[in-house]
Amino acid sequence: MTHISLSVTPEERGAMESFAKFTGLNLSEAIKKVFFERLEDEYDLKLIEEFEENDDGTRYSLAEIKAEFGIQ
């Protein structure tokens, strides 16, 4: 497994360790958890931004969708 070094202040380390303890994870697991959750959030926001940029405003009612697909 690859190792990554991270420089933090003593206060930052204390906050990270407190978070890890609160979540029941070790420090490495807690840092990875927060990183990948943030990465997922940023990816989702990027997808929303792209959708909004290309959205032509077309909307369909439930009745229109049911009619289109032959659903009663």
Side-chain angles (χ1 to χ4, degrees):
M1 185 173 292
T2 302
H3 289 81
I4 297 173
S5 295
L6 182 64
S7 298
V8 296
T9 66
E11 292 80 15
E12 291 168 333
R13 182 181 175 116
M16 295 166 115
E17 288 174 339
S18 292
F19 175 76
K21 185 176 179 182
F22 176 76
T23 59
L25 301 171
N26 67 42
L27 185 56
S28 179
E29 293 168 332
I31 292 169
K32 288 190 288 187
K33 173 184 172 61
V34 170
F35 173 81
F36 286 110
E37 285 177 356
R38 177 63 187 262
L39 181 66
E40 183 178 352
D41 290 346
E42 291 293 327
Y43 178 74
D44 291 344
L45 288 172
K46 182 67 174 167
L47 289 179
I48 291 168
E49 288 174 4
E50 289 175 8
F51 170 80
E52 289 175 342
E53 287 173 6
N54 299 307
D55 181 20
D56 66 2
T58 303
R59 302 293 185 265
Y60 300 95
S61 69
L62 181 56
E64 291 170 319
I65 294 170
K66 284 181 175 181
E68 174 74 22
F69 293 100
I71 300 170
Q72 298 200 17

